Amino acid sequence: MSTRPEITRSAVRANVAGLSAYSGPEDPGQLARRLGRPTESIIKLDANENPFGPSPLVSEALSQYGTYHVYPDMSQRLAREALSEYVGLPPEHLMLGNGADELIDLLMRAYLDPGDEVVDFPPSFGMYAFNAHTQNARVVEVQRDGRFNISIEETLASLTPRTKLVLLTSPNNPTGNVQPTSDIRRLLETGHLVVLDEAYAEFAAADGQGFESMMTDVANYPNLVVLRTFSKWAGLAGLRAGYAVLPLGVAEHLWKLKPPFNTNVAALVAVRESLAGPGRI
Ligand SMILES: *Cc1c(COP(=O)(O)O)cnc(C)c1O
């Protein structure tokens, strides 16, 4: 049988052929080997993982879990019920993902046709631009000022009829800036879909500086999506558990794209235990 590498080369979508692979943080073991040092000497700070790890309830529940051979509940019922209480909205508004990363990807797949625009505020979370490019969308960058704040006027001016998603992170990664909710409300009034990434909300809520989550506002705005994750505050980055708080009109479409078993049984158990445990903020 002859191999025909030119076919696989020419059959790939032109957009994908032009992409470069995501360059993420280097694995600590690999870094240690490259530097010729013991792995224990590497202090890993590049991915905002929680050095304290998860609640002890998580490892206890996972060691006792008896049905690893059965596929996860694709409706994520128990985890969504537990989350519902934490979030303060009914489970219909909630979807778990294989990390919040997967939900960013699902949103982009649901909303972006080639040539559509997303608004990004660099420096911000790298997955927004990465995923937008996989959909052949255009990333419109609104520049931050010298203190990394966002001008809402400039943001409003950046919107065009092709704008599909505005990707706001509050508190922002990597700068920590919090976006006033009054600004976000002005943006929501435009009718554009605003994806508000609150990955660090639990830390901001704990520091007493007046951070206000917009999670429950999702019930009142059909164009507000809030993203959260268990990777950071709950120390579960390795298990991949994030969630989206979705208006029902958005949820309807994301369920059609969600891979049925996207959130594995260990992550679903860990989510419930984290919400029950003493580590809960
Ligand atoms: C870490 C992080 C995420 C992704 O979290 P996962 O649930 O691990 O995919 C999303 N947004 C921001 C801003 C982050 O820093």
Side-chain angles (χ1 to χ4, degrees):
M1 198 182 83
S2 71
T3 55
R4 303 276 302 277
E6 70 280 8
I7 291 181
T8 47
R9 214 175 298 128
S10 63
V12 74
R13 286 165 50 206
N15 169 50
V16 175
L19 294 176
S20 14
Y22 184 76
S23 68
E26 189 174 5
D27 172 73
Q30 207 168 311
L31 176 65
R33 256 193 319 281
R34 183 161 64 75
L35 299 177
R37 301 172 52 160
T39 305
E40 309 77 67
S41 75
I42 306 291
I43 299 170
K44 191 171 183 307
L45 298 172
D46 59 352
N48 293 347
E49 288 133 327
N50 188 331
F52 300 105
S55 155
L57 294 182
V58 169
S59 6
E60 205 176 295
L62 290 180
S63 68
Q64 275 158 31
Y65 187 77
T67 42
Y68 282 112
H69 59 293
V70 177
Y71 284 107
D73 168 18
M74 53 185 155
S75 76
Q76 312 167 331
R77 188 177 57 86
L78 294 176
R80 285 168 61 223
E81 278 170 7
L83 265 178
S84 160
E85 194 206 326
Y86 183 71
V87 169
L89 287 182
E92 291 70 30
H93 285 283
L94 305 172
M95 174 186 280
L96 285 104
N98 193 271
D101 284 1
E102 185 189 32
L103 298 161
I104 296 167
D105 186 46
L106 289 181
L107 284 162
M108 303 251 178
R109 286 167 53 201
Y111 285 92
L112 299 179
D113 281 317
D116 281 343
E117 294 171 5
V118 304
V119 179
D120 190 16
F121 304 88
S124 67
F125 189 50
M127 295 307 286
Y128 311 143
F130 172 78
N131 282 309
H133 287 137
T134 65
Q135 298 309 121
N136 209 359
R138 227 166 69 75
V139 178
V140 173
E141 298 190 339
V142 173
Q143 298 308 314
R144 292 171 181 268
D145 69 16
R147 302 181 68 86
F148 300 112
N149 286 318
I150 293 169
S151 145
I152 197 66
E153 306 300 337
E154 275 177 47
T155 307
L156 293 171
S158 76
L159 304 174
T160 78
R162 293 219 74 169
T163 308
K164 290 292 186 67
L165 303 170
V166 180
L167 299 151
L168 257 183
T169 323
S170 183
N172 186 44
N173 171 5
T175 63
N177 297 59
V178 165
Q179 199 64 30
T181 53
S182 55
D183 284 355
I184 302 172
R185 287 182 203 283
R186 282 185 65 193
L187 207 48
L188 286 164
E189 295 304 330
T190 67
H192 286 279
L193 191 53
V194 176
V195 179
L196 178 62
D197 188 336
E198 292 188 344
Y200 299 95
E202 279 83 357
F203 299 97
D207 82 358
Q209 303 286 310
F211 168 80
E212 283 179 84
S213 169
M214 290 197 73
M215 246 176 2
T216 52
D217 290 288
V218 170
N220 306 320
Y221 288 101
N223 56 331
L224 172 64
V225 168
V226 174
L227 299 177
R228 290 282 188 107
T229 180
F230 282 79
S231 292
K232 314 291 165 48
W233 74 271
L236 294 179
L239 277 183
R240 315 302 300 123
Y243 59 99
V245 188
L246 301 163
L248 301 183
V250 176
E252 177 193 342
H253 299 297
L254 286 207
W255 280 99
K256 295 184 272 186
L257 295 178
K258 183 182 96 57
F261 307 126
N262 66 330
T263 311
N264 67 63
V265 291
L268 292 173
V269 168
V271 159
R272 289 162 57 203
E273 294 298 326
S274 300
L275 292 175
R280 171 173 170 167
I281 296 174

